[in-house]
Amino acid sequence: MGRLDNKVAIITGGVGGIGLSIAERYVKEGANVVLTANHNVTGGEKAVANFGDDRALFVQQDVAQEADWQKVIAATLSKFGKLDVVVNNAGIAAFNDAEHVTMDEWHKVMAIDLDGEMLGVKYGIQNMKDHGGSIINMSSIEGLIGYPNLFAFTAAKGAVRMMTKSAALYCAQQKYGIRVNSIHPGPIHKPELDDDPKEQALIGEHLKSLPLGRFGEKDEVAGLALYLATDEAAFSTGSEFVIDGGYTAQ
């Protein structure tokens, strides 16, 4: 307890899935959190009610829009007075391949998964360079290896990995005290699919390729995001942290 005392974190896509799990861990460890989402306003309001409006704030945000990032930063500073951690978690996946992808699909994935994280890095640096902090970019194992039917997603997540390294080196060069790292999850358990026979059949096939024989849990990814936000990770920057049950070790 208390590993994030007095820290303020922005978590995009923070009202459901992995993002909400990260928020829960951060609040438990003493942080104040600003949660954003573009569509799930009800989820944002519910999360704030659960955490307490003294500890949490929800701001509706399209991460691909620079004006929305400026709005989120202004709201964060107005309520909590500073910023210490940015978790660029919001993202989408679209099933498409290199031959049949449409420009609309490509641009939508790039806007959210790459532009959105770029803006989070940019505004995180601008607002933490005087006191240091941590920027955590959510990538994927598809940012490390190819996947035939996730063409745009793989391209975006690979770019996030290299963008992370560039930003980390820049912050180190400038002596800003800002660490920038990426997280690369493999398959993560989605409880909402537990009763779907078709999905369970697909999951069963996928499990054969996972050395640990199971999907990861959201809270396990959140634990890694917690570590990277703490001062315990002070010597980690420009690195990719893989959490995939051994999939990419094969």
Side-chain angles (χ1 to χ4, degrees):
M1 300 290 286
R3 293 164 73 190
L4 294 179
D5 279 352
N6 302 314
K7 293 189 183 295
V8 176
I10 292 172
I11 306 168
T12 68
V15 306
I18 291 172
L20 182 58
S21 292
I22 294 172
E24 290 169 346
R25 294 293 292 273
Y26 279 18
V27 170
K28 185 177 180 180
E29 292 291 345
N32 294 320
V33 295
V34 178
L35 312 176
T36 83
N38 194 14
H39 303 295
N40 191 6
V41 175
T42 300
E45 293 170 346
K46 181 179 179 181
V48 170
N50 288 339
F51 295 144
D53 61 10
D54 59 326
R55 301 290 307 281
L57 173 68
F58 172 71
V59 183
Q60 189 171 7
Q61 179 195 29
D62 178 349
V63 294
Q65 300 300 316
E66 188 163 16
D68 275 19
W69 269 103
Q70 294 167 344
K71 176 181 69 175
V72 169
I73 293 293
T76 300
L77 298 180
S78 176
K79 185 170 181 68
F80 295 119
K82 63 170 185 167
L83 175 63
D84 302 291
V85 181
V86 175
V87 182
N88 285 310
N89 172 71
I92 61 170
F95 288 94
N96 47 50
D97 59 70
E99 181 180 4
H100 301 101
V101 64
T102 69
M103 289 304 293
D104 285 346
E105 289 173 332
W106 177 267
H107 286 306
K108 184 175 182 179
V109 171
M110 288 297 166
I112 296 172
D113 291 4
L114 183 55
D115 295 354
E117 296 207 24
M118 177 277 289
L119 289 167
V121 170
K122 173 182 175 178
Y123 282 97
I125 292 172
Q126 288 183 3
N127 288 277
M128 296 191 295
K129 63 183 181 180
D130 293 334
H131 60 276
S134 175
I135 298 173
I136 302 164
N137 294 327
M138 197 63 67
S139 183
S140 168
I141 57 171
E142 274 78 40
L144 302 170
I145 58 175
Y147 192 86
N149 295 319
L150 287 171
F151 180 59
F153 181 79
T154 299
K157 292 305 186 179
V160 166
R161 173 176 175 262
M162 295 310 298
M163 177 182 73
T164 296
K165 294 180 181 298
S166 177
L169 292 174
Y170 171 77
C171 289
Q173 181 186 63
Q174 299 299 314
K175 302 189 185 305
Y176 285 160
I178 299 172
R179 297 176 291 104
V180 192
N181 294 286
S182 56
I183 294 178
H184 298 256
I188 301 300
H189 174 222
K190 295 180 174 64
E192 64 271 20
L193 300 179
D194 286 350
D195 297 325
D196 186 325
K198 184 177 179 180
E199 287 293 337
Q200 288 306 305
L202 291 172
I203 288 169
E205 285 299 311
H206 204 163
L207 286 176
K208 297 176 183 178
S209 64
L210 288 168
L212 290 188
R214 67 173 178 87
F215 279 20
E217 298 293 339
K218 293 178 289 186
D219 196 54
E220 292 172 322
V221 181
L224 183 50
L226 170 61
Y227 166 71
L228 290 174
T230 70
D231 295 337
E232 299 158 29
F235 200 53
S236 294
T237 195
S239 296
E240 58 264 9
F241 288 79
V242 181
I243 180 166
D244 70 349
Y247 185 86
T248 56
Q250 301 176 97

